[in-house]
Amino acid sequence: MTHLGAPGSRDWRKSMNVLVLNCGSSSVKFRLIATDLDLIAQNADRRLAKGTIERIGGEAIIRLQVEGRNPQRTTSSLRDINAAVDFIARWAASSESGIEEIKSIADIQAVGHRVVHGGERFKQSVLITDEVVRAVEDCIDLAPLHNPANLTGISATRKLFGEGLPQVAVFDTAFHQTLPDHAFLYALPYQLYRRYRLRRYGFHGISHRYVAYRYRVMRNIAREATNIITFHLGNGCSATAISAGNSIDTSMGLTPLEGLVMGTRSGDLDPAIIEFIAAKEGLSTREIETLMNKHSGLLGISGLTSDMRELLAEESEENDRRAKLAIDIFCYRARKYIGAYPAAMNGADAVVFTGGIGENSPEVRARICDGLQWIGIELHEELNRSHTDGREGLISKEGSRPAVYVIPTDEELLIARDTVRCVLKERQHS
Ligand code: ADP
């Protein structure tokens, strides 16, 4: 593998070009963002480019977009994550991409990785060292599909850029490390927690933390005054109770399977169902886990699709009964969290919707909030309808308490900002 040298000799006080990587088992999502402490303070970070590479291992499908230009789609034979990271870096530095700030690979000055599971060890983002890599390896048991892919991304980056390039790990679990023990422990024999750290970890932490930050910026309030319920509703879905700026409860558990109904995941169910299905269908526990993760949720109920937009169309255009049922169950289960979480946090000032469904579907938001007048929620029909396609703002009537907001998430931005902060902190200390 070619070694492309240490980062260029730029003045580190200037903005930093950060490559944000989200590596899966056969896909890589990336974003290039130029940012620094001043740009963060002004919310003026510059998004340079983004893209996805899917079906790595064969003829990969590559989508690339430089900010302000049309997206491109191409294919290339990429055998592994190393080849995909190499492709991204070379494309970014090429005259073909034409990104003004990146003339050579050395102009990428730091890499921020989304890492799914940081266990109990990581409560915030960290500069990646050999010790951090080992600790992420120690969490593989907790996220056997995700952490190995994230680690491959880290080693691919190291091979390509060399040891000199700072890399930062930003964990999906870290924000939820403030959960008190009465919220994170399951009512199982305590030694299972002691032996295996079996507990609720929660996920989507980067997203929940980002929208909580945007909320307090929008409201011009302190972190300590942030008392909200956040809903990340995408393919995966989760709710978080945020009290005094900290996550104090969240719907996903040891794994992302627990909690809300999702695209293909069942969310909460009676654990005795596993044994019941095993006996009736002759399936192994592993097969049942696959059934609950990949064939349940919106897809399982409707028998049609996991895609909320398609289900809404089936319901309204075809009057499909099971599409309606899937959406009803999805909304009902989310609504119950708006009832439950204020009890966990002594009342909430706002409910915030984010994620593909939360940001784009007035219909789903209205159905979740329906029948919550008793708690004080009153959606503003027109504001709700007009908040789609990345529009941020209030969607409830004046006086609604909790108020209701739509806040588009930007996990990559938060990763880039954490990366810059970690790198600068390290530089101050060295
Ligand atoms: P991921 O969790 O994989 O990042 P997204 O956050 O993009 O996914 O969310 C995907 C979900 O958002 C899908 O169910 C999709 O149908 C839904 N979605 C996107 N746009 C709309 C829309 N306009 N109306 C309803 N649902 C939408």
Side-chain angles (χ1 to χ4, degrees), residues 29 204 232-236 298 306-310 312 355-357 360-362 364 411:
K29 284 192 202 157
H204 288 149
H232 179 104
L233 306 177
N235 283 313
L298 295 174
S306 63
D307 191 295
M308 180 59 90
R309 201 172 0 189
E310 289 174 18
L312 288 162
I357 300 170
N360 292 300
S361 178
V364 171
E411 291 160 285

Side-chain angles (χ1 to χ4, degrees), residues 40 123-126 168-176 203-217 223 226 228 230 232 240 242 245-247 354 407 409-411 413-419 421-422:
I40 293 172
K123 301 183 190 319
Q124 52 199 12
S125 306
V126 287
V168 169
V170 182
F171 299 92
D172 228 9
T173 48
F175 182 57
H176 302 302
F203 298 86
H204 288 149
I206 303 167
S207 179
H208 290 289
R209 187 181 137 207
Y210 179 78
V211 298
Y213 148 80
R214 281 301 307 161
Y215 169 81
R216 70 170 186 270
V217 168
R223 187 179 191 279
T226 307
I228 59 177
T230 51
H232 179 104
T240 296
I242 299 174
N246 295 324
S247 170
T354 194
I407 302 184
T409 196
D410 197 336
E411 291 160 285
L413 181 63
L414 196 144
I415 294 170
R417 288 177 171 185
D418 271 12
T419 300
R421 289 190 194 107
C422 285

